[in-house]
């Protein structure tokens, strides 16, 4: 496994207002989140980024900020879009690109995703590139072929982070068997041997220890279990105890 730092990423999706986000930060044991091997990253909504950036700066915590999406255009007349440069200026170091909710609900696809990755790099952001198969593909045993196609536009030399998120595992409570996960991770690592690789999909306080024990991931991209400060903190502790 590449010798990367590990990452614990909270993807808050559209679940928290700025008010709720600041309450979350007050309740999180931030003084315990030290500059350890695990980089904690929070991805709130766009509008919450400035308040969270201010909070993190004031409390000198090593938590990093991430956006959940960015525009496929540099700048210009694109009502409602937010550019990578704007995100960097707002205090982000990372941006999630290609989340399955963006792909499925908002029709995002290539070549726009590659453009977003490129613009993120240009702006000084590290893309966290999401990919993963549907249940049909998983059950028909075609996961590797599908992932290969999703990853085909990307060079193994890109300094981005990959996040394998099987669509059927997101928000469902189901995770792949450890054997399947190990096989898929081995396949992804054969294509991207030096890239940090995260897993996302129903990671929670009950399965994180087994996931850490049975797999060789560089961390996790967490949705539902990242919304409660005590649960999220327990994930951080589990990662630091490994
Ligand atoms: P859940 O952890 O709620 O399954 O969500 C995973 C996810 O989509 C993270 O990006």
């Amino acid at each position: 496994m590449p010798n990367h730092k590990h990452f614990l990423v909270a993807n808050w999706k559209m679940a928290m207002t700025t008010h709720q986000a600041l309450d979350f930060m007050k309740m999180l044991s931030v003084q315990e989140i030290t500059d350890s091997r695990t980089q904690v990253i929070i991805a709130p909504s766009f509008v919450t980024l400035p308040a969270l950036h201010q909070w993190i700066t004031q409390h000198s915590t090593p938590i990093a900020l991430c956006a959940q999406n960015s525009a496929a255009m540099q700048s210009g007349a694109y009502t409602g879009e937010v550019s990578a440069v704007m995100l960097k200026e707002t205090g982000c170091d990372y941006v999630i690109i290609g989340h399955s909710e963006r792909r499925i609900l908002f029709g995002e696809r290539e070549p726009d995703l590659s453009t977003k990755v490129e613009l993120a790099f240009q702006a000084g952001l590290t893309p966290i590139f999401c990919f993963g198969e549907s249940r049909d593909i998983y059950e028909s045993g075609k996961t590797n072929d599908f992932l290969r196609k999703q990853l085909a536009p990307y060079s193994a030399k890109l300094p981005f982070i990959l996040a394998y998120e099987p669509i059927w595992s997101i928000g469902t409570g189901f995770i792949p068997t450890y054997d399947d996960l190990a096989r898929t991770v081995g396949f992804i690592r054969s294509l991207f041997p030096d890239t940090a690789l995260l897993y996302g999909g129903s990671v929670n306080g009950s399965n994180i220890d087994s996931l850490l024990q049975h797999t060789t991931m560089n961390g996790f991209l967490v949705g539902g279990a990242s919304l409660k400060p005590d649960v999220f903190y327990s994930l951080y502790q589990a990662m630091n105890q490994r």
Side-chain angles (χ1 to χ4, degrees):
M1 179 174 55
N3 189 23
H4 279 290
K5 199 168 170 153
H6 284 57
F7 302 90
L8 178 62
V9 188
N11 179 5
W12 285 349
K13 308 191 180 184
M14 205 178 73
M16 268 205 240
T17 66
T18 301
H19 205 99
Q20 290 165 333
L22 291 173
D23 281 348
F24 176 102
M25 298 308 284
K26 274 184 222 141
M27 286 189 283
L28 188 67
S29 312
V30 273
Q31 67 285 356
E32 309 291 339
I33 295 185
T34 51
D35 202 358
S36 63
R37 284 196 299 152
T38 304
Q39 172 68 61
V40 173
I41 302 174
I42 296 184
S45 83
F46 286 141
V47 293
T48 299
L49 287 167
L52 227 49
H53 180 57
Q54 194 183 12
W55 197 95
I56 285 167
T57 309
Q58 276 168 357
H59 291 78
S60 306
T61 142
I63 296 173
L65 276 182
C66 179
Q68 298 175 14
N69 183 28
S70 59
M73 300 75 82
Q74 205 142 23
S75 84
Y78 302 105
T79 302
E81 290 294 300
V82 178
S83 75
V85 170
M86 293 170 181
L87 294 170
K88 183 68 186 177
E89 194 185 76
T90 310
C92 285
D93 287 318
Y94 299 86
V95 57
I96 295 172
I97 292 175
H99 192 282
S100 61
E101 285 150 17
R102 301 287 328 159
R103 293 176 191 255
I104 295 167
L105 303 172
F106 302 97
E108 292 195 6
R109 59 180 73 88
E110 297 294 350
D112 282 358
L113 297 174
S114 304
T115 306
K116 288 182 182 208
V117 167
E118 176 57 32
L119 290 173
F121 281 130
Q122 282 175 19
L125 299 170
T126 298
I128 300 176
F129 184 78
C130 299
F131 60 102
E133 80 288 357
S134 65
R135 177 170 284 286
D136 280 356
I137 292 169
Y138 178 69
E139 284 175 353
S140 62
K142 296 194 175 125
T143 297
N144 289 0
D145 287 346
F146 184 79
L147 300 185
R148 188 198 301 279
K149 280 191 201 119
Q150 278 192 315
L151 294 169
Y154 302 96
S155 153
K157 294 202 178 78
L158 285 180
F160 61 173
I161 296 172
L162 290 175
Y164 170 54
E165 295 206 312
I167 297 168
W168 53 273
S169 177
I170 295 176
T172 59
F174 296 112
I175 61 172
T177 64
Y178 296 120
D179 281 353
D180 281 348
L181 201 48
R183 262 195 298 274
T184 308
V185 167
F187 173 70
I188 299 163
R189 288 210 193 279
S190 72
L191 302 175
F192 291 84
D194 299 322
T195 306
L197 177 60
L198 315 184
Y199 168 78
S202 296
V203 175
N204 59 39
S206 313
N207 59 25
I208 192 164
D209 286 330
S210 306
L211 280 165
L212 286 165
Q213 203 185 328
H214 291 103
T215 63
T216 60
M217 238 68 71
N218 301 100
F220 303 101
L221 180 51
V222 187
S226 74
L227 296 172
K228 293 218 168 70
D230 52 339
V231 178
F232 186 60
Y233 183 65
S234 75
L235 302 182
Y236 174 75
Q237 278 181 311
M239 285 188 68
N240 269 351
Q241 278 159 14
R242 76 196 175 274

